[in-house]
Each structure stands twice: as structure tokens, then as C-alpha cells.
Amino acid sequence: MKKIALFPGSFDPFTMGHLDTVERGAKLFDEVIIGVFVNTGKHSWFTPEERQKLIKESVDHIPNVRVEAQTSELTVNYAKKMGAQFLLRGIRSIKDYEYEKDIMTMNRHLDEELETVFLLANPKYSHISSSLLKEVLLFEGDVAEYLPKPIYQAMLGKRERNEK
Ligand code: ADP
């Protein structure tokens, strides 16, 4: 059976840390599906459709990766619909560990067949988050090396439009 992993996240924006997790996940699974989810608790710069398009451009070099945008569905139900037996998540720190453990336990309660696989963040990227990058970029700090090129360009565009 094909091993399929769903990598769910809000990805607002998708960073080099996310990309690193996807590249490593793509070596472990036959297919990785990046699921762009709406996070109701976070203020977003990009619509899910914009994020989907930008992520597609950023993972173009990995053949077994697909990008889907979905709006309001429980992760476990979406995984089942996509035929995924695994969830892929990244852990940067103890803080992430605590948060991810609760989500994993809840997901296991909802569907005990679905296994969550965690990859520890690459130390090069373990200090970055989408929100930190947005904040630094807003005040014109240089964060280019932490973002895939198409995403960095799109963010500069958003910032300029916001300034007008
Ligand atoms: P969510 O809103 O679901 O937390 P995010 O887009 O912030 O979505 O993150 C998606 C996943 O990627 C989470 O498991 C998160 O811990 C992980 N992640 C976030 N930033 C990094 C990073 N720099 N390196 C590795 N994994 C990361």
C-alpha cells in the first residue's frame, strides 16, 4: 500500500523550516500532501488559495508532493478523505512538543488508525516561525534566507500594498 502523509498547517507563510520538513518527509513517504488549513486564531496575510499557489511554486522540485487548500474540515476527516495513513508535523522546541502532544492525543482519540510522525526541526530553522518572519519583515528586517523565493517576493508585495 502506498504510504501517504498529510502535512497540515496554516503556512502563512510557508517558510524554509516547513520546506525542510517536507523535503525530509518526501524521502520517508511515497507521497506527502501539504494541506493548507485555516487557523481561526491567527491573523493571515494570504488567502488559502494564495498560499496554495505559492507553496506549489516552492515545492515544484519535489515530485511526490501535492498541495491542497481546504477551508473548514477536521484534520482527521480530511486525512481519511485523501487516503493518508499518517500526519506529518514538525517540532522546534519544548513549547511545540507540548502543543503538538495535545493535538496528537486528540487526533488519536478521533481516529486511532491515523499515526502522527514528528520530525525535529533542522537547527538552521528551529528559531523561525511564520509570525516572527512577518513581524521582522514588516519592520524591514532581512529574512530572505528563511523564505522560499516566490514566497519572499509575494511578502514584499503584500508589505508594500499594506504601506500604501
Ligand atoms: P499550525 O497553525 O498548524 O501550527 P504552522 O504553519 O505554524 O501551522 O506549522 C505547521 C507545522 O510545521 C507545525 O507542526 C509546526 O510545528 C511546524 N513548523 C513550523 N515552523 C517550523 C520550522 N521552522 N521548522 C520545522 N517545523 C516547523
Side-chain angles (χ1 to χ4, degrees), residues 20-161:
D20 185 84
T21 301
V22 170
E23 285 174 338
R24 289 158 62 202
K27 292 181 192 152
L28 298 173
F29 301 103
D30 296 309
E31 186 174 24
V32 173
I33 302 169
I34 302 174
V36 181
F37 281 66
V38 171
N39 186 327
T40 42
K42 290 186 184 172
H43 168 73
S44 52
W45 277 31
F46 296 100
T47 67
E49 292 70 30
E50 286 174 320
R51 281 177 254 166
Q52 181 187 22
K53 181 174 166 285
L54 290 167
I55 298 171
K56 269 189 182 158
E57 290 172 32
S58 311
V59 299
D60 206 33
H61 58 290
I62 325 170
N64 56 334
V65 173
R66 248 166 67 198
V67 190
E68 302 289 341
Q70 77 89 50
T71 43
S72 53
E73 202 169 350
L74 216 46
T75 309
V76 295
N77 292 346
Y78 189 68
K80 192 166 255 168
K81 202 164 87 185
M82 303 308 281
Q85 312 93 331
F86 303 94
L87 289 179
L88 176 63
R89 296 285 285 178
I91 291 190
R92 287 162 291 187
S93 61
I94 278 288
K95 213 170 91 197
D96 272 357
Y97 170 79
E98 295 287 350
Y99 174 71
E100 294 288 340
K101 182 164 62 80
D102 290 348
I103 298 182
M104 185 212 76
T105 309
M106 179 53 76
N107 284 337
R108 179 171 287 171
H109 158 78
L110 296 169
D111 180 353
E112 60 180 24
E113 295 293 308
L114 189 66
E115 187 69 65
T116 305
V117 175
F118 297 103
L119 292 182
L120 280 189
N122 182 330
K124 255 175 26 190
Y125 304 125
S126 60
H127 59 297
I128 61 166
S129 64
S130 301
S131 37
L132 181 60
L133 295 185
K134 283 188 280 197
E135 199 168 322
V136 176
L137 198 93
L138 208 53
F139 295 101
E140 302 188 4
D142 179 7
V143 288
E145 72 189 83
Y146 296 124
L147 291 158
K149 272 209 177 68
I151 294 183
Y152 180 62
Q153 292 304 331
M155 289 187 75
L156 290 182
K158 280 274 174 197
R159 187 185 67 192
E160 267 148 40
R161 255 167 279 143

